[in-house]
Amino acid sequence: AQSVAQPEDQVNVAEGNPLTVKCTYSVSGNPYLFWYVQYPNRGLQFLLKYITGDNLVKGSYGFEAEFNKSQTSFHLKKPSALVSDSALYFCAVITGGSYIPTFGRGTSLIVHP
Amino acid sequence: DAGVIQSPRHEVTEMGQEVTLRCKPISGHNSLFWYRQTMMRGLELLIYFNNNVPIDDSGMPEDRFSAKMPNASFSTLKIQPSEPRDSAVYFCASRTDRGHTNEKLFFGSGTQLSVL
């Protein structure tokens, strides 16, 4: 079985400040972890993924995420937030034995000018 | 590449009517997913196809919902009869599976369905 939790429905941050969007997962076996972003009236877009190797993964638009196996977490981070980063962010997990990713409920990121 | 193409972009219909949503996956992708998004339930998987064959349809709400994939470049999701509680955004996504499943999904722009 696989599951994902995004504990925050909404994250508010001021422009220029660092941001973190949290994600924890539960799987049997090794996880493949993803972050997607959804802008208003659009489909989800891939940001980054962790498969294996370096625990710090860099992705699109300056985002990065850190895989922490002991804490079963994969938090999304950005050093300096932009107003244009405001969107809905989804964490997803899949294991090698599954064909279907499990998505979290999403976290709304609001960056204030 | 044009990406995953969904039509229509918006659909407004009356309760009891048949609704057909369409999806063209990215060429060469052999897996296709239909999702439904609502505020209450978030993103729900409805059905998953691999090589045009339905593999997992456990998320299909009830017999009113049906999905087909007659070939690698086209899929439909049909609701008959439609009900107001079916109002949601429906997404199609595709992926390439080449012996492993850690590839990313590509999503279409969705169909906003309103059932009055």
Side-chain angles (χ1 to χ4, degrees):
Chain A
Q2 56 192 36
S3 65
V4 170
Q6 293 183 242
E8 302 153 318
D9 289 336
Q10 185 171 300
V11 170
N12 291 276
V13 64
E15 187 174 32
N17 283 0
L19 69 87
T20 298
V21 182
K22 296 179 181 178
C23 171
T24 59
Y25 66 90
S26 175
V27 298
S28 301
N30 293 321
Y32 303 134
L33 293 153
F34 300 78
W35 277 102
Y36 291 84
V37 60
Q38 184 182 27
Y39 298 103
N41 301 313
R42 302 290 299 274
L44 279 69
Q45 299 175 34
F46 170 79
L47 269 181
L48 50 81
K49 70 178 180 181
Y50 171 82
I51 303 300
T52 188
D54 193 345
N55 289 343
L56 185 63
V57 179
K58 294 186 182 297
S60 307
Y61 313 121
F63 283 93
E64 58 188 26
E66 186 167 13
F67 171 64
N68 187 317
K69 188 172 183 177
S70 62
Q71 297 186 4
T72 61
S73 67
F74 190 58
H75 301 332
L76 181 69
K77 299 181 180 183
K78 187 173 182 181
S80 179
L82 299 172
V83 172
S84 58
D85 293 330
S86 299
L88 192 56
Y89 290 80
F90 290 90
C91 182
V93 68
I94 191 170
T95 61
S98 172
Y99 292 91
I100 301 172
T102 298
F103 284 84
R105 286 190 53 84
T107 298
S108 177
L109 173 66
I110 299 175
V111 181
H112 303 276
Chain B
D1 197 325
V4 176
I5 299 173
Q6 291 186 246
S7 64
R9 200 68 175 88
H10 299 91
E11 178 79 37
V12 180
T13 190
E14 293 186 346
M15 182 174 62
Q17 296 298 306
E18 177 179 296
V19 175
T20 299
L21 311 181
R22 297 172 175 80
C23 174
K24 176 179 169 56
I26 292 174
S27 177
H29 284 189
N30 60 336
S31 283
L32 185 140
F33 302 78
W34 281 101
Y35 287 92
R36 178 172 67 178
Q37 186 178 35
T38 62
M39 289 290 291
M40 290 294 293
R41 294 187 296 271
L43 197 64
E44 302 174 276
L45 176 70
L46 298 177
I47 189 168
Y48 160 63
F49 290 89
N50 183 260
N51 292 324
N52 312 337
V53 176
I55 303 299
D56 187 335
D57 65 354
S58 58
M60 295 287 265
E62 50 200 88
D63 291 345
R64 297 185 298 108
F65 285 68
S66 63
K68 294 181 179 180
M69 193 164 186
N71 56 62
S73 59
F74 185 64
S75 177
T76 59
L77 178 67
K78 185 176 295 185
I79 308 173
Q80 166 63 18
S82 58
E83 296 182 2
R85 60 189 167 125
D86 301 331
S87 297
V89 181
Y90 291 81
F91 288 104
C92 175
S94 69
R95 179 184 71 192
T96 179
D97 291 344
R98 297 286 182 257
H100 53 77
T101 58
N102 56 24
E103 295 294 333
K104 62 187 177 186
L105 268 63
F106 291 79
F107 283 79
S109 295
T111 295
Q112 173 78 59
L113 174 64
S114 298
V115 184
L116 307 177

